[in-house]
Amino acid sequence: MTGFPLTVPHGYRVGTWTVERPLGAGAFASVYAARRAEAHRLDPAGASAGAGRAALPDRAALPDRVALKFLPTGTHTPRQLRHLRELAEREVELLSRLRSPRLIRMYETLTVDDPDRPELDGATVLVLEEAERPLQALLTGTVPPAEGPRLLVQVCEGLHQLHTAGWVHGDLKPGNVLLMRDGSVRLGDFSTASELDGTHAYATGFATADYTPPELLWTELGERGIRVRPSADVWAFGVLAHVVLTGSRPLPGGTAAARRDAAVRYARGEEELRLSPELPPLWREIVADCLSRTHEARAAHDAGTLLRRVAAAARTTPPPGPLRRLPRPHLRPRRGRPRRIPLVVASATVAATGLGLALTAFDGTASGYDRCGKGAVCFYSEPDGRGDMCRWVDGEKSWPNGVFPCPWTRDRPVRSAFNNGNSQAEGAQYVDVVFFAATDHREPLGCLERGTRTNFEEPVRPRSHTWQESC
């Protein structure tokens, strides 16, 4: 198949999966849609699970449909093989360690064992959550997508989750923003992602020029790769936002090479941005800040600050057409002062490490309340910290529609909670959490003292919360 680094035939079996159709390809990987094979059928001799398997859930918990990402190893030089292994290991490491609502989920990794097919033999296969289509598919028309602002909020959420966890994506672009069937967004393709070592990370240098900040276009590749910082993702988000909202790029040029040269001239003060007049004022300010000429100027706009501005801009951007809104659940007002929730003594020890707002560390062993990282407050859909979880290290004015929404609380109550401290240093002033029956911190329901793990005797429906000095 033209343009695919690795061609996998229809019906090919890999582990318990059967390949159906191609979904897309990058410079090094081919992605195919697959379905779960019949449970009673044995794995074929041509494909088996191998070394490097990631945290593997129960087979019963796996979905019926997935995306298989093939990283080939056949017919390559030793240097190419080493590079491909590094790409696969990088992506597996990130997706094994981080589990977030805005990152594509990885279920397991497999290794193809098929000597009769040298081009497939030894290939690493990532079994991923299946997306409906990439964001790029929405950008082919002449009119910007009506849902663009909403999608950009979720993209920015994903960046904030990555950066808070200490990672840089390194190749944010429309092809790596994935749209799910429920309309939500996931970030994907972490083969060029890199973990921060202090203030920098080290990338392979294979990013997309249109979304690469100017200072990295002339940086030399060192022994560990190119030194990158989170501000590189901020630049990429600025370009992405301009493309999504206007259908045009912010720098002139009819080819990628011409736009690359324009970016270098812009960094030297010899070229200006060509921001579209179609950008609303708030978005114009955001894009201009993201596309500041230097890293130092962009560093002032970290992903957390950027997210709040993007969320505010999205709420004030008039859509081209009517948007479908989910019905809001009826809230029964509850008056009075916050009531103190009794401390529930639990024997489990908190093992997860807090990774940031709405982000959960995942090592395959954490369960119950232990999923709530240090510095966070977590609410659960089932007693004893079971079921779905929403996690914050900051206050939230609207769980259903806020910056970091908790979608399952639209129609289900909260049955348990854990206040695992405040995100600031030990001894911080604001350590207790008050939660409310309405948005904007109205109609108090209760207060969780620091260290509290509790089951709620009756269903409660919080819609916002805030950190307080004490209950």
Side-chain angles (χ1 to χ4, degrees):
M1 183 174 297
T2 304
F4 272 61
L6 188 62
T7 301
V8 184
H10 176 82
Y12 191 77
R13 288 286 303 279
V14 182
T16 59
W17 308 101
T18 301
V19 172
E20 289 190 331
R21 69 184 189 283
L23 292 176
F28 304 104
S30 304
V31 184
Y32 288 82
R35 58 178 171 81
R36 184 152 46 162
E38 299 296 333
H40 64 274
R41 292 176 64 183
L42 298 175
D43 287 352
S48 63
R53 169 175 292 201
L56 180 63
D58 241 347
R59 286 286 173 200
L62 290 171
D64 291 330
R65 301 191 57 80
V66 296
L68 300 180
K69 182 174 182 177
F70 289 81
L71 283 161
T73 56
T75 66
H76 287 278
T77 66
R79 182 176 180 181
Q80 290 171 325
L81 288 175
R82 184 172 62 253
H83 178 64
L84 288 171
R85 280 196 300 270
E86 290 173 354
L87 293 179
E89 290 168 359
R90 191 182 299 255
E91 188 157 12
V92 169
E93 180 183 11
L94 186 149
L95 291 175
S96 297
R97 288 169 55 184
L98 306 185
R99 192 170 182 179
S100 156
R102 294 289 172 247
L103 308 185
I104 201 72
R105 185 178 180 186
M106 182 182 72
Y107 299 109
E108 58 178 329
T109 63
L110 305 170
T111 302
V112 176
D113 180 15
D114 191 351
D116 294 333
R117 291 180 176 270
E119 74 283 4
L120 284 173
D121 190 35
T124 298
V125 183
L126 277 58
V127 182
L128 303 169
E129 188 177 14
E130 185 186 30
E132 184 176 44
R133 53 183 170 169
L135 176 59
Q136 183 65 49
L138 287 185
L139 306 179
T140 56
T142 57
V143 179
E147 60 269 49
R150 177 182 64 84
L151 299 179
L152 288 171
V153 173
Q154 297 184 53
V155 172
C156 203
E157 288 174 1
L159 278 187
H160 184 266
Q161 292 160 2
L162 271 178
H163 291 184
T164 306
W167 287 79
V168 178
H169 188 285
D171 196 18
L172 180 67
K173 58 184 179 181
N176 291 338
V177 175
L178 305 175
L179 308 181
M180 313 306 288
R181 287 185 174 84
D182 64 359
S184 62
V185 165
R186 305 282 191 278
L187 300 188
D189 194 353
F190 300 101
S191 56
T192 57
S194 46
E195 189 172 13
L196 288 170
D197 182 5
T199 59
H200 293 76
Y202 294 87
T204 58
F206 292 96
T208 305
D210 267 330
Y211 294 85
T212 300
E215 68 270 14
L216 296 185
L217 292 174
W218 62 68
T219 299
E220 293 185 3
L221 187 67
E223 288 186 6
R224 299 178 62 185
I226 291 178
R227 295 207 317 170
V228 298
R229 292 167 285 203
S231 63
D233 286 342
V234 172
W235 171 279
F237 180 81
V239 178
L240 179 71
H242 195 279
V243 170
V244 169
L245 296 172
T246 71
S248 63
R249 291 183 172 86
L251 285 163
T255 65
R259 291 188 293 272
R260 179 193 61 207
D261 293 342
V264 173
R265 293 195 303 272
Y266 167 67
R268 293 171 177 167
E270 302 167 0
E271 182 80 61
E272 295 298 325
L273 293 175
R274 306 285 180 90
L275 299 185
S276 169
E278 298 176 14
L279 276 177
L282 288 180
W283 283 109
R284 177 175 291 272
E285 294 175 6
I286 291 170
V287 170
D289 285 341
C290 289
L291 301 182
S292 297
R293 282 189 167 92
T294 65
H295 151 73
E296 290 75 17
R298 288 193 303 275
H301 311 287
D302 62 82
T305 303
L306 187 61
L307 175 56
R308 296 186 184 280
R309 296 175 64 191
V310 167
R315 286 194 294 269
T316 59
T317 303
L323 292 179
R324 175 179 174 268
R325 295 189 180 276
L326 294 174
R328 294 176 65 86
H330 174 70
L331 299 177
R332 183 176 64 183
R334 186 186 294 259
R335 305 295 180 183
R337 293 177 59 82
R339 67 181 186 274
R340 183 169 298 183
I341 301 300
L343 179 66
V344 175
V345 178
S347 60
T349 301
V350 176
T353 300
L355 294 178
L357 195 55
L359 189 65
T360 305
F362 178 68
D363 60 6
T365 60
S367 61
Y369 290 120
D370 288 0
R371 294 181 290 162
C372 187
K374 185 176 180 181
V377 58
C378 301
F379 293 83
Y380 309 88
S381 63
E382 300 295 335
D384 302 318
R386 292 182 282 107
D388 291 326
M389 179 184 79
C390 281
R391 174 188 188 280
W392 293 273
V393 297
D394 203 350
E396 178 59 82
K397 291 185 176 181
S398 175
W399 287 13
N401 303 299
V403 176
F404 292 96
C406 187
W408 55 266
T409 58
R410 292 181 183 274
D411 51 17
R412 283 185 288 163
V414 166
R415 303 308 297 262
S416 58
F418 179 24
N419 176 3
N420 198 16
N422 188 266
S423 60
Q424 303 174 42
E426 293 294 323
Q429 180 180 4
Y430 298 100
V431 294
D432 293 346
V433 176
V434 180
F435 52 101
F436 305 85
T439 58
D440 293 319
H441 303 152
R442 292 177 290 110
E443 302 177 20
L445 283 175
C447 183
L448 297 168
E449 291 183 318
R450 188 179 189 181
T452 298
R453 306 181 185 205
T454 187
N455 289 325
F456 297 107
E457 295 180 0
E458 59 183 39
V460 295
R461 293 183 177 273
R463 287 296 180 272
S464 61
H465 71 276
T466 184
W467 294 84
Q468 299 289 342
E469 190 171 349
S470 69
C471 285

